[in-house]
Each structure stands twice: as structure tokens, then as C-alpha cells.
Amino acid sequence: MRRLLTVLAAGVPLAAAVYLPTASAETKDSTATLFTCAAPSVKAPAGTKVESVTAVNKEGGTINGTGVLGGSVSGVPAYCEVTVTLTHPGDGDHAKVRTWLPANGWNGRFQGLGGAAYLAGDNGVGLGTAVKNGYAAVSTDAGVGDALDTSWALNGEGRVDTALLKNFASRSQHEAAVVGKEVVDAVYGKRPAYSYFTGCSTGGRQGYMEAQRHPDDYDGILADAPAVNWDEFEIATLWPQVVMSNEKTYPSQCEFKAFTDAAVKACDSLDGVKDGLVNDASRCDFDPRRLVGTKVVCDGKELTITSADATVVRKIWDGPRTTSGKKLWYGVPVGADIWALAGHSEPDADGNVTGAPFPVPAAWAKLWVAKDPSLDLSKITYAGFTQLFQQSQAEYDKVIGTDDPDLSDFRKSGGKLLTWHGEADQYIPTQGTVQYRQKVERELGGTKKVDDFYRLFLAPGTNHCGLNGAAGSADGLAALTAWVEHGKAPKTLPATLIDADGQNVTRDLCSYPQVSRYKGSGDPAVASSFRCVSPSRH
């Protein structure tokens, strides 16, 4: 259980490291390739120097994922692992770029893999899964550490290590794409026919960064639950802790669940049927004050919901605001697990409670924004929160914000961008992704023009990276390859979701801005009982 909690703290459910997208599109080139696993000569990407190149034959079998994410993949065929170590002269960094090449049955495609939390690349499970599916695959560690390792944030003088932050934020994924394709060409004697990038969370953000800054790197990008707007949402996800400490009210996990369950119940039928899923969480306007005075049983004890509890939940759902009431960012989506960001200790003998902030935003606030590892987050006032939020924006938007809406070069290059995001994402507010898509529409001429190359699908009742197997599944990579290689733009994305009772239901996720609506008859657990419609105004 502790390992699972650690993995959740990394911002990606355990299953996301186990179940990865598999492209069920047909193999392009399964012919035997003249194959020698030897260290190729690699030309250094612009601004870098190659420190070393190694090549090792690997037998395959079961690959166990490294670090806190763990996971495993079995049945991996033999492959060649080429490792290229890069440095940026003067920066003292050492980034390892690993390319895995199947010894037989390469499908002619190339896949770049993103990271999770502060892990810049893959822990082995994604690479193994890609090779198993016939891809040559690449991943980079960007010269930083594991998912929760932030030891690289500050240098010896207590200043932000800007070189490593730049690696993590943008340049390492591009360099991995350049090096990986060069390695493929050297080993197989030809370049990939098609190149894809896949990632969720931090990996999703990296996919968007590639589309924005290096539009020619990939033909197709699958970037899910993307951590775009990093400078805003990382601070915003500390808001639940700030609210509880300032209101001096710490609802229990059970009480938070009571509010969430009541909201889901109240908003369930917005899509025309009670099916245990809130179809459009942004339209759910359930008022938590309706629960004041209600009794809930938690761990055998009967508790009464207070107005103070309701105030805390209302502020958490609403999201961070300045002291004058100006909205700064989006809150925890209605239907998401509030406890993920609002965790805390049990009261001690004197009734004191200690907040347990989610480690990813906690590290961002302390190390990169405040540059003070000893910063006491429990002492942040509402005014102090606004200051921290605005400082993060001012210093890091251009570095790691990843919210540039000008995707015109990516569109010109013929690239395709596909994203799904869970409506009950407890770590990255779904509305941040929706807002980004709206900005792209304003920049590039409206919904239809953007749909030509970029589609967003929202998954009801689904948590962070949840369609990677923890709370359902969807084969986004198969949809993306069909779009890139055959021009079949996905009108819907078939998915398996988990309803409020923990049962599997099938849904065809609608392409934003459309939403799913019950047809009026048919089994609510089956996708064919729903259709996609334009959202009603309210």
C-alpha cells in the first residue's frame, strides 16, 4: 500500500506505468532488417556535445520499471539499447538518451516517450511496451532524477539550476527526438516512416511543448492530462491546503467524500440519465452548503457536516482567488477526489492538525518559486498565496508554462495532436486544458479549423491519467495512427469508464466542445445509448 501511495504522490497512478497506449494499426514494415547492435556515430544536436555512445544487445522478457512508479511489462522481444549521453557545454549536465530498437519485426514507426511528475522520461515500462508493439522508441532522463527527486532544483549557491530546468522544461525532449531518429537510421539503415510522441501528465506537457516549439519532430502527438499552464496550476494545487489552514477547518477524508458523492448524485442526470457519471463537471453547480447539518458515519463515528466544512469545500471547488475575489485559476473539479490535494494528519492530543500537501506542487513552491527548502507552507496567508502564484507566473511562464496557443507551424507541418483529459482529475484541473484549447481556437480561426489537426476528448468520472488502466482505458495511439497515416480524424474516442458503483461502462468520448447525451432509451452502460451534441448554454 505504501508503494501505491508513493506512486499516487508522483502524480501518475501505478497502472499508468503498467498499461500504456498500444497502436492497433497494422504493421508497416515487418520484414527482417539487416541488424547490427553496435554503437553508431551520432552527430550532436545543436547546442550539445556527445559525451558517449554505447550499444547493448538485450534479450527482452519482463521489464521491471525503475523508481517509485515501478510497474512491469512482459513478453518484450529482444532489442538493442543504444544510450547516448549529451551535455550542454558550460552547463555541467549529463542527459542520457536511450533508444530501444526491436531486433526483429520493426514496424517502421518511431515513438518518443514522456515522463511523470519530475521524471523527465520513461522508467522502462513504456519503452518495453513500445518495443513489444514493434516500435523503435526513445526516452531521455534530461539529466534530472526520479519522479519525486527534486535534489537538482537548486545549485550549491541555493540558486535555481537554470540549465537542468531548461532540460526538464523543453530542450531534452527535442534532443531525444533528433538523436533517436539518427540512431534508428544508423542501426536499421533507414529513417522511420512515421514518428509519434506519447505521454500523460508531465509527458502530456512535453508533447504540447514539442508541438509549440519543435513542430517538425513528430507526425502525431498523444498528450494526455497535460501539465500545461505549469506555472499556474502547480501553485493552484496548493490552494486546498491554504484554505484549510486559513479557515482553521480540516474536514476528514470521509467528509470530503460525502460532499463529492452528493455533488455527483445531484449532477448525474445532466446528460439525460442517471448513470453514475457526471458528464460535464464544469456545469455542476451543486452548493456544498446543502449538506450542512447532514450526519455522516466515518470510521464508526457519526459526524455532522458544519457550515465551516461547506465553506472549505466551496472554496476548493471554486479555486484560488485573490483577497479581492479575482479568480486566479481553476479549482478541484467536482467529482474528483478532494483528499488527493487536501490530505492532512489526524488531530493530535491537543487537537492540532498538520497538512500533507501533494509533494509535486509543494516542491515547486518551496524550491523553484521561493528558493527556500524550509518554507512553511502551512503559514501561507491568502494574500501570501496570491503573491506566490504571481511570482511563479512572472518567473516561469516562458520557461515551462507550455501554453503558447500559436500552433500554426505544427499545423503547417501536417502534425496531429490528440488529447484526452479526465473530468475528475484530482491533480491537474481539467478546465486548464479546456482553456488552452479555447485559446488555440481564438488564435487559429475557430473550432472547425483547429479540429483539422488538434482534438480534445474529456472523459467523465475519470481521474488523473485514468484511461491508462486505473479508471478505464482508451487506445489513443491507435486513433492517432489512423488519423496520421490514413486521414481518419477521430470523431469520438471509444473508452471504458468506471461509474460511481465501480462498474465498467463503455462510452464514445466526444470531441470537444461536444458532450455526450443519453438518447432516451437503451442500456446506460453501453456507448450506443448516447450521442454527441453541442453543450446547452446556461
Side-chain angles (χ1 to χ4, degrees):
M1 186 64 190
R2 178 180 292 177
R3 178 161 164 266
L4 182 57
L5 289 172
T6 311
V7 168
L8 287 173
V12 175
L14 180 66
V18 180
Y19 175 96
L20 285 121
T22 58
S24 41
E26 76 277 9
T27 294
K28 282 280 167 200
D29 176 18
S30 57
T31 55
T33 310
L34 191 62
F35 187 92
T36 307
C37 186
S41 170
V42 174
K43 185 185 170 197
T48 73
K49 179 185 167 194
V50 173
E51 291 191 308
S52 65
V53 183
T54 63
V56 184
N57 266 311
K58 298 279 191 174
E59 290 179 3
T62 296
I63 306 292
N64 293 308
T66 58
V68 296
L69 292 179
S72 66
V73 56
S74 59
V76 178
Y79 61 94
C80 174
E81 179 180 62
V82 176
T83 304
V84 178
T85 305
L86 300 175
T87 187
H88 298 84
D91 286 346
D93 61 334
H94 311 280
K96 281 188 166 52
V97 178
R98 292 186 296 158
T99 308
W100 290 15
L101 307 104
N104 291 293
W106 176 45
N107 64 15
R109 300 185 184 99
F110 174 77
Q111 187 178 149
L113 291 142
Y118 292 108
L119 176 68
D122 184 66
N123 75 340
V125 177
L127 286 162
T129 303
V131 165
K132 187 176 175 177
N133 288 301
Y135 288 78
V138 74
S139 181
T140 176
D141 69 3
V144 299
D146 197 23
L148 296 181
D149 177 5
T150 52
S151 59
W152 54 274
L154 304 177
N155 62 23
E157 288 86 52
R159 293 194 187 95
V160 170
D161 190 319
T162 53
L164 289 179
L165 179 59
K166 193 175 176 184
N167 282 3
F168 176 72
S170 60
R171 63 184 175 184
S172 282
Q173 280 298 344
H174 167 62
E175 288 157 6
V178 172
V179 166
K181 287 188 221 175
E182 202 181 328
V183 168
V184 167
D185 192 12
V187 173
Y188 289 138
K190 57 181 168 182
R191 292 182 73 78
Y194 296 100
S195 298
Y196 297 94
F197 181 89
T198 61
C200 193
S201 195
T202 282
R205 185 195 65 74
Q206 291 165 323
Y208 274 72
M209 185 67 88
E210 281 290 283
Q212 290 164 23
R213 296 198 187 177
H214 305 285
D216 298 319
D217 280 355
Y218 291 99
D219 301 302
I221 293 173
L222 177 65
D224 303 321
V228 295
N229 314 294
W230 180 284
D231 50 304
E232 283 111 352
F233 93 82
E234 284 298 359
I235 299 297
T237 46
L238 284 177
W239 178 249
Q241 296 288 331
V242 173
V243 169
M244 292 188 301
S245 61
N246 279 272
E247 301 298 324
K248 297 181 172 48
T249 301
Y250 292 82
S252 67
Q253 185 172 7
C254 172
E255 288 169 302
F256 279 133
K257 186 176 184 302
F259 281 103
T260 300
D261 290 349
V264 169
K265 195 174 175 185
C267 296
D268 186 355
S269 55
L270 284 174
D271 60 356
V273 66
K274 281 200 171 290
D275 58 355
L277 291 168
V278 176
N279 184 58
D280 185 358
S282 67
R283 286 181 62 216
C284 181
D285 56 3
F286 175 79
D287 188 340
R289 288 173 292 198
R290 284 168 57 183
L291 279 198
V292 174
T294 305
K295 299 195 184 307
V296 295
V297 178
C298 297
D299 297 326
K301 288 187 290 190
E302 191 176 71
L303 303 173
T304 303
I305 300 287
T306 66
S307 60
D309 295 328
T311 296
V312 164
V313 172
R314 187 167 54 82
K315 284 177 178 285
I316 289 173
W317 279 342
D318 180 52
R321 290 182 182 270
T322 65
T323 49
S324 63
K326 184 189 172 202
K327 193 168 183 68
L328 292 170
W329 201 246
Y330 306 96
V332 173
V334 172
D337 175 16
I338 301 172
W339 184 255
L341 298 179
H344 55 76
S345 70
E346 291 291 318
D348 63 17
D350 299 322
N352 297 315
V353 174
T354 307
F358 183 44
V360 179
W364 180 254
K366 287 181 179 184
L367 302 174
W368 282 275
V369 184
K371 290 98 177 159
D372 178 7
S374 64
L375 177 70
D376 187 349
L377 299 175
S378 70
K379 299 280 199 301
I380 297 174
T381 61
Y382 285 133
F385 176 88
T386 298
Q387 199 177 347
L388 203 63
F389 184 91
Q390 291 172 340
Q391 187 187 341
S392 182
Q393 277 184 312
E395 290 185 30
Y396 297 109
D397 179 56
K398 294 290 183 281
V399 180
I400 197 173
T402 325
D403 56 358
D404 179 359
D406 185 1
L407 295 178
S408 53
D409 287 342
F410 184 70
R411 178 172 64 184
K412 265 184 231 150
S413 77
K416 302 289 185 265
L417 172 59
L418 191 153
T419 292
W420 51 252
H421 201 145
E423 294 248 34
D425 193 318
Q426 69 276 44
Y427 294 120
I428 300 178
T430 318
Q431 285 304 303
T433 301
V434 171
Q435 183 224 52
Y436 175 78
R437 160 76 199 208
Q438 290 168 343
K439 280 166 61 179
V440 175
E441 288 181 9
R442 286 195 294 274
E443 178 82 18
L444 298 182
T447 301
K448 284 188 177 172
K449 287 187 176 176
V450 173
D451 275 348
D452 285 345
F453 73 97
Y454 168 27
R455 297 203 176 191
L456 168 64
F457 299 86
L458 302 181
T462 300
N463 64 20
H464 186 60
C465 293
L467 294 186
N468 283 341
S473 61
D475 197 343
L477 189 51
L480 184 62
T481 52
W483 194 7
V484 168
E485 298 174 26
H486 304 290
K488 293 177 184 170
K491 290 179 182 170
T492 59
L493 185 64
T496 301
L497 308 180
I498 314 294
D499 69 14
D501 297 323
Q503 301 301 307
N504 283 12
V505 299
T506 61
R507 283 286 182 282
D508 290 332
L509 305 183
C510 301
S511 178
Y512 178 85
Q514 291 202 310
V515 295
S516 182
R517 184 128 190 114
Y518 185 58
K519 288 179 177 176
S521 62
D523 183 352
V526 179
S528 58
S529 302
F530 294 80
R531 61 194 173 97
C532 294
V533 298
S534 296
S536 56
R537 297 183 177 185
H538 69 289

